[in-house]
Amino acid sequence: MATTMAALVGTAGVFARESNASPLSETPAVRDTINGVLAFVVPGNDPYSHQQGMWTDRPGGVTAGTAESLERTLDQASPMPLLGPAAGNLPGAAAIALLLNTFGVTADPRAVSGPFAAPFANLSHAAKAQVFEWLDTDPRFEGLVLKFVVNAIPTLAAFAAFSEVSAYDRTRREIAGRPVGWELSRYAGPSDGWDEFLGYYGGIDEVEG
Amino acid sequence: MTDVIVIGAGGGGPVVAKELAARGLDVLVLEAGPRFADPENEWTHFEDDVNNPITGLFRHGPGDRSRPPWLRDLPQNSFVWQVSGVGGTTLHFFGNSPRAAPGAFSGYDGADRDMYDTAHLFPFGYDELRPYYEWVEATLPVQTAPMGAKEQLFLRGAAAMGLPHQTSLDTTRAAHRAQQNAILQPAGTAGRTHDRSRLHHPEARGCTMCGHCYQGCFLPLGAPRNLKAKRSTDNSYVPMMLTADAWSPQGRPVTLIADAVVSEILVEQVHGETTARGVRLTTAGEEHEATAPVVVLAAGCIESPRLWLNSTLPNPNGWVGRGLTDHHMDAVFGVFDEYTGQTRGPGSNARVDLPGYGGIEQVGLPPALIAYALNFSDSGIHGYGRAGSVVDSAGADSVGRLVGRDLLDTMSDADRVLAALVISDDDVEPDNRVTLSPILYPDEGGPAPRVTVHHRRRSARTRRNRDHATRKAVELMRAAGAKRVHRCDWPPLILHSQSSMRMGVSDQDSVLDADAEARWVKRLFIADNSALANSLGGPNPTLTTQAIATRTAERIFAKYFGGSAWVTHENPVSSIADRVTAAVIERGI
């Protein structure tokens, strides 16, 4: 892994303009990787959750809307090449996918084959956790923007999975159905107000001095 | 001719602008982000739409969301959560307006005086600031927060710990209390119904307890902008500064230009001193220069030092950008068998103050932000690894990122969760700082900022304070009846950024003098959180920044415009006064 990672990361250096970055469409397995992350953070009844050996009987983080939103977020969070020329100067979600898959193969070499094109998505839940432990502690990321980006992957995935994006119409800015994350958390949904007022603590509604 | 240019329309800039406009000065305010002039139609209550920190409406970036945010170089696990646009980071703040701990100021002689960052005190006493607190508290206005279920639960835990109930504005001992918030108290149907048809102004007035403080406040529906419940500056100081001629006898309305990125502060040599003379800015794709006798920098704790450094202004002691404090935050979550109302009501209506250490705030959040908070950690993934963490669980049942079944279980009912934010009195440390990034490509504001925080190597006092306050938060959750308690061990989640351009007693470790004027550039003042001398002993910074900005406005008026002070001689006009409301309605603000 060390040699591979040196080629991927070590040459990242000074970031170029975002326009020099390779487009997402040229990279394989990005969606599979992102779905593998979403299943890891919020497992459900999808094939990615079953593959990792931790699943539930209802929808979880893996939905088309959630994956699309998380990819967009990662692309905008790091629109510059995160990895060096040896890795195609990949930006955003594509760079993150390559990184997760490289570490994923190290965690379990058998992950190169499996139901998904992304090795990371073929891992067990424990092996995925090992990947994130490595990402959280790899000294080669110290001082690089990459440090912030890799740490943010599961955090942004959790945010996306419990937000409205699984059922959100971005054009109309309205939901079309009940978002999965709201169902998982029994969230009543947004309101312009609630009948929550219970008075003032100790009966004191004004303080001076 | 413009008298004063203010850079930034966030928590501090509009305060200076409003005060000086009320005195009759011609003030120009420049804001890099957008202006949300019609929030009822521009904003939503959806979390990703508004609060995705990268792609949401409330991010640090241009108004055009097809473009990336303005990037910060963060060379460590961290996130700086600020908002660009008119209102700045007050757009998503919780309105919490506690006064600072007196121990953070010069001359403090309490028994706990050695508990604070005594090497970096404010260059004046707490008593001097009190009239400015009172002025701002009356202007916003600041009011005692009402109770909902989550507040009652939190304060039940605090009382069970033996903490006394504080019933004063000044904090003198460890205690619990309802927050003093820049949020209008609920009246009429507000807080008494969730029937949307009955939540229109004026039937509903003040806070409707909707649970969306973090997504900006545009309620009650139909209320004039200055009567929206939360007193973010877009609802308070900005309407006042734009209508100053209507409510002040000698007032002049401020000129506000949004989407105007300042890339340089212009200076000249006057009598051998470097002196501010204006700014270079880009708006609508065209570069301009604007000049004025006084420039006020209020771009925030990251952008103010960045702009200084990009302008190559003098920095003889090297303290520009240094000393950044962030309250070394952490978060603790309790899971309860009973209803907590976690997703409803204002963001934070209850607090515990622990003078000398910091404090604890009850925090209410909708589900995506809860999940974000539970997954942000410097302690690895709970149950798998610790990622080299340097802290323990502080008595909680778990620590680290919650994923998989652990996250699902904790999130299984968002309204049976209670969150506590740990805010530490952290030390001013020179190596926690803002510099220019050697990596990121410049944007329209010039070279990008790098924000460095040595999270695991904070001072011994800072680590002590965080550990103490976190243990107290865990204790509070258990005392309130939590069946399970989780510690997040957040990396730097920089929600309270302070003191990166600090005022100070000594010219060896500060950028500003006691009047908030730059030591090395005359006629240049700073009026955002970066001007604070330290982290205030733990309390939230906005009120103190606004009090000091009011004081700074007086100093500017007296020193450069021949005027005299007013705070101790006059009564302030409230931002909800009828004169302001009438002007806001008449002018469609």
Side-chain angles (χ1 to χ4, degrees):
Chain A
M1 180 174 69
T3 306
T4 307
M5 282 309 301
L8 291 178
V9 180
T11 51
V14 175
F15 293 135
R17 288 176 188 275
E18 57 195 89
S19 58
N20 291 340
S22 299
L24 190 62
S25 59
E26 294 178 9
T27 63
V30 173
R31 180 58 57 93
D32 268 357
T33 311
I34 296 302
N35 280 338
V37 171
L38 289 165
F40 172 69
V41 176
V42 185
N45 60 359
D46 56 275
Y48 298 88
S49 297
H50 280 279
Q51 174 64 22
Q52 70 184 2
M54 183 184 286
W55 71 90
T56 73
D57 59 359
R58 56 181 181 163
V62 177
T63 76
T66 310
E68 181 191 347
S69 174
L70 183 55
E71 288 173 13
R72 185 183 312 111
T73 299
L74 295 171
D75 284 342
Q76 286 217 3
S78 50
M80 73 296 280
L82 279 176
L83 304 175
N89 284 329
L90 290 175
I96 288 163
L98 182 57
L99 202 61
L100 289 171
N101 289 319
T102 303
F103 276 80
V105 171
T106 304
D108 185 351
R110 295 171 297 177
V112 293
S113 62
F116 305 113
F120 180 82
N122 291 327
L123 294 174
S124 68
H125 195 267
K128 288 178 179 177
Q130 179 63 67
V131 168
F132 282 110
E133 175 76 2
W134 282 336
L135 291 173
D136 271 341
T137 56
D138 195 308
R140 289 164 297 188
F141 300 158
E142 294 297 329
L144 300 178
V145 172
L146 203 51
K147 177 74 176 175
F148 150 69
V149 173
V150 298
N151 288 133
I153 297 167
T155 313
L156 294 172
F159 180 88
F162 282 94
S163 76
E164 75 279 5
V165 295
S166 64
Y168 193 59
D169 182 330
R170 282 173 51 84
T171 304
R172 297 166 62 92
R173 296 180 74 199
E174 294 175 353
I175 51 171
R178 183 159 166 81
V180 169
W182 295 9
E183 192 66 21
L184 292 173
S185 59
R186 300 184 192 179
Y187 177 50
S191 173
D192 290 328
W194 291 107
D195 43 352
E196 277 286 304
F197 178 65
L198 298 174
Y200 291 88
Y201 191 63
I204 298 172
D205 63 2
E206 187 175 356
V207 174
E208 294 180 351
Chain B
M1 176 187 166
T2 302
D3 294 312
V4 178
I5 297 170
V6 178
I7 306 167
V15 177
V16 176
K18 168 260 186 189
E19 295 295 344
L20 293 178
R23 300 292 127 184
L25 296 191
D26 188 333
V27 182
L28 170 65
V29 175
L30 303 169
E31 167 55 45
R35 180 181 180 203
F36 299 105
D38 184 15
E40 283 191 34
N41 290 305
E42 292 177 272
W43 298 349
T44 69
H45 289 321
F46 297 123
E47 290 194 77
D48 184 84
D49 182 41
V50 177
N51 267 326
N52 182 309
I54 307 299
T55 63
L57 273 176
F58 288 1
R59 62 172 185 170
H60 182 70
D64 177 1
R65 286 203 282 174
S66 68
R67 297 176 56 199
W70 292 317
L71 298 173
R72 276 77 180 270
D73 177 358
L74 302 171
Q76 66 276 313
N77 184 8
S78 59
F79 190 73
V80 183
W81 209 325
Q82 292 178 309
V83 181
S84 61
V86 175
T89 308
T90 70
L91 289 174
H92 78 178
F93 87 149
F94 291 165
N96 303 143
S97 300
R99 295 180 179 181
F105 292 78
S106 291
Y108 178 67
D109 197 29
D112 62 343
R113 61 185 174 278
D114 294 331
M115 291 286 286
Y116 301 90
D117 185 2
T118 52
H120 302 96
L121 297 172
F122 276 86
F124 47 80
Y126 182 80
D127 287 344
E128 180 176 336
L129 197 58
R130 187 177 284 109
Y132 299 95
Y133 276 136
E134 292 168 351
W135 182 273
V136 176
E137 287 162 346
T139 301
L140 284 167
V142 173
Q143 299 180 339
T144 303
M147 295 290 100
K150 60 187 189 300
E151 294 80 15
Q152 286 198 333
L153 197 58
F154 179 91
L155 294 179
R156 183 175 82 195
M161 292 167 66
L163 291 165
H165 179 197
Q166 178 179 328
T167 56
S168 61
L169 293 170
D170 293 336
T171 298
T172 57
R173 58 177 176 165
H176 72 280
R177 57 172 162 149
Q179 293 269 19
Q180 288 295 116
N181 276 348
I183 301 176
L184 301 179
Q185 292 174 334
T189 54
R192 280 91 170 169
T193 181
H194 61 271
D195 179 351
R196 193 174 198 267
S197 68
R198 300 193 58 211
L199 285 168
H200 289 253
H201 188 272
E203 186 180 11
R205 299 181 303 282
C207 180
T208 63
M209 306 192 82
C210 71
H212 303 293
C213 284
Y214 214 69
Q215 287 131 297
C217 187
F218 57 84
L219 301 174
L221 296 166
R225 188 68 182 259
N226 68 312
L227 298 184
K228 302 296 188 187
K230 190 175 79 171
R231 316 311 293 154
S232 41
T233 55
D234 61 312
N235 291 337
S236 55
Y237 277 94
V238 170
M240 288 195 86
M241 77 182 193
L242 295 175
T243 60
D245 56 315
W247 53 266
S248 173
Q250 65 271 39
R252 298 177 65 166
V254 163
T255 301
L256 168 65
I257 304 177
D259 303 305
V261 177
V262 175
S263 57
E264 185 179 359
I265 295 171
L266 304 173
V267 296
E268 59 190 348
Q269 295 299 313
V270 177
H271 306 307
E273 292 186 310
T274 302
T275 304
R277 68 173 183 85
V279 302
R280 177 167 289 119
L281 69 142
T282 301
T283 183
E286 291 188 9
E287 189 172 280
H288 304 272
E289 276 190 16
T291 59
V294 169
V295 175
V296 177
L297 180 53
C301 253
I302 311 304
E303 301 307 313
S304 284
R306 174 205 191 190
L307 183 52
W308 184 292
L309 294 168
N310 279 338
S311 303
T312 63
L313 300 181
N315 183 19
N317 63 6
W319 268 78
V320 169
R322 290 190 187 271
L324 175 68
T325 57
D326 66 340
H327 283 159
H328 197 29
M329 289 181 175
D330 201 351
V332 170
F333 284 79
V335 179
F336 290 74
D337 282 329
E338 64 188 291
Y339 172 75
T340 63
Q342 170 68 10
T343 67
R344 301 176 181 185
S348 180
N349 273 9
R351 69 184 295 116
V352 164
D353 286 295
L354 302 167
Y357 297 101
I360 308 163
E361 292 189 304
Q362 160 270 322
V363 168
L365 301 167
L369 281 173
I370 298 174
Y372 179 103
L374 289 169
N375 206 276
F376 195 55
S377 180
D378 192 45
S379 283
I381 291 170
H382 170 62
Y384 290 99
R386 293 301 310 280
S389 172
V390 295
V391 303
D392 62 21
S393 67
D397 302 304
S398 53
V399 61
R401 300 180 192 268
L402 291 187
V403 303
R405 293 195 192 287
D406 292 329
L407 183 61
L408 285 172
D409 287 348
T410 303
M411 294 292 299
S412 62
D413 188 337
D415 281 324
R416 290 177 186 262
V417 168
L418 186 67
L421 177 68
V422 172
I423 42 180
S424 314
D425 177 21
D426 58 327
D427 281 336
V428 170
E429 297 186 72
D431 290 340
N432 293 333
R433 62 187 300 206
V434 179
T435 54
L436 296 179
S437 173
I439 293 175
L440 294 179
Y441 201 83
D443 58 33
E444 54 263 63
R450 162 173 279 203
V451 183
T452 302
V453 178
H454 296 285
H455 179 69
R456 294 182 177 180
R457 304 202 306 271
R458 307 293 287 257
S459 72
R461 195 187 76 90
T462 299
R463 286 184 278 118
R464 177 203 72 182
N465 290 353
R466 184 178 191 243
D467 184 67
H468 177 83
T470 304
R471 288 180 189 282
K472 289 294 183 186
V474 172
E475 188 182 334
L476 186 153
M477 287 293 177
R478 296 206 193 283
K483 64 178 182 180
R484 189 155 42 86
V485 182
H486 176 73
R487 177 187 189 178
C488 294
D489 183 28
W490 277 353
L493 181 53
I494 303 179
L495 300 164
H496 296 175
S497 53
Q498 301 129 166
S499 63
S500 59
M501 301 289 280
R502 61 183 300 273
M503 55 171 55
V505 176
S506 168
D507 63 4
Q508 299 301 300
D509 61 8
S510 62
V511 178
L512 309 178
D513 65 18
D515 292 338
E517 186 171 15
R519 293 187 182 281
W520 325 116
V521 182
K522 296 299 133 188
R523 295 178 179 270
L524 176 61
F525 292 78
I526 298 187
D528 54 35
N529 283 8
S530 73
L532 300 176
N534 53 44
S535 67
L536 307 179
N540 316 53
T542 305
L543 179 76
T544 301
T545 290
Q546 293 177 331
I548 292 177
T550 304
R551 180 178 177 271
T552 301
E554 276 193 346
R555 299 298 196 272
I556 291 170
F557 193 55
K559 185 169 182 179
Y560 292 114
F561 297 96
S564 55
W566 55 88
V567 164
T568 55
H569 311 297
E570 301 178 13
N571 293 317
V573 174
S574 168
S575 64
I576 61 173
D578 290 345
R579 282 174 286 168
V580 181
T581 303
V584 165
I585 293 171
E586 180 188 338
R587 300 174 194 187
I589 290 170

